[in-house]
Amino acid sequence: DEAGCDRLDELTLATPLAVPEHGGIALRATVTAPTADGSRELTLHSRPEDAPDDEWTLHATGLLARAGTTPAAPAEAWPPADARPVDLTGFYERLDTDGYGYGPVFQGLRAAWRHGDDILAEVALPDDATDSAGRFTLHPALLDAALHTTSLLTTEDGDGVHLPFSFAGVSLTLGGAARCRVTLSPTGTGTGRLALADATGAPVATVEALTMRPASA
């Protein structure tokens, strides 16, 4: 919005951002001047807050664009009558064993179903975090919980850590959500389309192409 763009055409992650146990991180987002079609290049860097002479570490590159398309509304029936519930008992305990370490605010997957090849889910912020939803166009913990649905595409335990590598065709429609319906449609190995809607089915966000890749601990 600040750059006059309403769509994230591309975002490729280069290096994960490790937050130190003590001290802070300085973040730098750089956006270039617009090209003839209004698109702008984006880079994200960081360095330790208390080391202003250190080199900046590149974390991501991307492309912002104008005139994103409005996502289509999901089907009215939720979940569909023929969707099969997924047992989430011990879900976050298994992820912890695999190498993830999600704190309570980020353990937002509440329910899930299988519908054909798709994964349907409901994600929500905990009660003590819902007041902060309005501070964000899309709360980072809510987005992260939506990404947890990718762990349901495989049934094998101990498969290690998989992190987002690239996003394409990202558009945000409705801000301030504290709870979302999620539809993850796999499009290949480690790739899929992600759609988020609010409790009424109104579109919140769409990721046309999400790619996950394994990462070492």
Side-chain angles (χ1 to χ4, degrees):
D1 287 344
E2 293 291 338
C5 299
D6 57 3
R7 176 183 171 93
L8 179 61
D9 257 7
E10 304 169 8
L11 184 72
T12 301
L13 306 184
T15 304
L17 172 60
V19 180
E21 184 175 357
H22 302 288
I25 290 288
L27 300 175
R28 185 179 74 185
T30 305
V31 177
T32 65
T35 61
D37 63 2
S39 62
R40 299 170 180 258
E41 294 181 4
L42 166 71
T43 55
L44 299 173
H45 294 79
S46 81
R47 68 183 178 192
E49 190 175 47
D50 58 358
D53 295 328
D54 281 11
E55 293 291 327
W56 290 93
T57 298
L58 175 66
H59 293 287
T61 60
L63 184 68
L64 305 177
R66 292 179 180 173
T69 57
T70 301
E76 292 184 5
W78 181 267
D82 56 344
R84 295 175 288 119
V86 176
D87 183 5
L88 295 179
T89 304
F91 176 75
Y92 282 104
E93 288 80 0
R94 292 194 297 273
L95 290 187
D96 187 67
T97 300
D98 285 345
Y100 298 93
Y102 292 115
V105 176
F106 284 81
Q107 296 184 22
L109 189 61
R110 299 288 184 259
W113 301 265
R114 297 186 187 278
H115 186 237
D117 293 333
D118 293 350
I119 298 293
L120 311 181
E122 291 180 356
V123 297
L125 298 174
D127 291 341
D128 58 358
T130 55
D131 289 345
S132 65
R135 295 171 49 203
F136 302 91
T137 305
L138 181 58
H139 196 291
L142 199 64
L143 172 60
D144 205 53
L147 296 178
H148 298 172
T149 57
T150 60
S151 297
L152 300 175
L153 291 176
T154 60
T155 57
E156 298 179 4
D157 292 332
D159 196 27
V161 173
H162 289 71
L163 298 177
F165 169 70
S166 67
F167 297 81
V170 181
S171 57
L172 296 174
T173 309
L174 184 66
R179 176 181 293 271
C180 281
R181 301 172 179 178
V182 181
T183 301
L184 172 64
S185 303
T187 55
T189 303
T191 62
R193 183 182 187 276
L194 196 67
L196 280 68
D198 69 6
T200 70
V204 170
T206 300
V207 181
E208 293 176 359
L210 166 69
T211 302
M212 307 288 288
R213 285 192 177 178
S216 67

